[in-house]
Amino acid sequence: MSILIFLSNFIMPLMIFYIVGFGLLMKKNIYDEFIKGAADGFKTVISIMPTLIGLMMGVGILRASGFLDFISKMIGRVTNLIHFPSALVPLSIVRLFSSSAATGLALDLYKEYGTDSHIGLTASIMMGCTETVFYTMSIYFMAAKVTKTRWTLAGALLSNIAGIVASVILAGMM
């Protein structure tokens, strides 16, 4: 186990040295290539900024207006029947849109129920087993100028449901 901890501490510096060494071996101007890549990355950030602002505003409005709590209570009545805690409904909804907002909700759950509680464990596993579907789709499809998403949304939502189910099962086994 200590070798894994040792390797995890040095993996990033080793990757950087490898990339720089490979660039020198190939006789590339590493600094110029880095600047070109940084400029391309900055252009991408600027192009996706409106989408990011819109998503963050939408999640903030949902939380502040109380609509998220209302929807969570309505859905929570059904989810309690299938042994899915209603306290996790807001997290599973917000996680589809924003990772940072979902992290805030998870921290609220930890404060209320504790990190070692069933709800805390389920929330932790859920954060690792699910994805910000709408955020990811909007950012990547906008950057790549994809207009026909085909089955992406259905597949992403299905995988999120599988992640939520897996988180409940795994937390129940602990």
Side-chain angles (χ1 to χ4, degrees):
M1 185 55 110
S2 63
I3 189 73
L4 292 176
I5 294 171
F6 176 79
L7 286 174
S8 69
N9 288 333
F10 290 103
I11 195 74
M12 287 308 294
L14 288 174
M15 292 249 324
I16 291 169
F17 284 128
Y18 172 77
I19 291 168
V20 170
F22 189 75
L24 290 172
L25 186 66
M26 294 292 148
K27 296 182 171 70
K28 298 281 184 184
N29 189 340
I30 300 165
Y31 183 74
D32 286 344
E33 295 296 327
F34 172 76
I35 296 298
K36 286 178 190 173
D40 287 344
F42 190 69
K43 289 175 188 171
T44 302
V45 168
I46 295 297
S47 71
I48 64 175
M49 190 65 66
T51 304
L52 288 174
I53 292 170
L55 282 170
M56 285 188 260
M57 269 185 44
V59 169
I61 290 169
L62 281 175
R63 269 188 98 177
S65 70
F67 183 73
L68 186 60
D69 293 331
F70 171 74
I71 284 290
S72 298
K73 287 178 185 173
M74 300 307 257
I75 296 172
R77 292 179 184 155
V78 175
T79 60
N80 281 335
L81 298 174
I82 58 171
H83 304 292
F84 182 76
S86 60
L88 294 172
V89 172
L91 179 65
S92 58
I93 293 171
V94 169
R95 180 71 172 148
L96 293 170
F97 297 94
S98 170
S99 182
S100 58
T103 301
L105 287 175
L107 291 174
D108 292 345
L109 290 172
Y110 298 153
K111 286 177 189 171
E112 187 172 344
Y113 298 99
T115 54
D116 291 334
S117 67
H118 177 69
I119 289 177
L121 290 172
T122 306
S124 297
I125 297 169
M126 188 186 305
M127 290 295 287
C129 289
T130 57
E131 179 60 66
T132 53
V133 172
F134 295 107
Y135 168 81
T136 306
M137 283 182 60
S138 62
I139 295 302
Y140 289 128
F141 287 164
M142 184 179 177
K145 295 178 177 50
V146 174
T147 56
K148 295 182 180 179
T149 61
R150 298 185 193 209
W151 292 94
T152 306
L153 180 59
L157 290 176
L158 184 64
S159 69
N160 256 31
I161 290 169
I164 291 169
V165 170
S167 67
V168 171
I169 292 170
L170 289 171
M173 294 169 68
M174 295 180 151

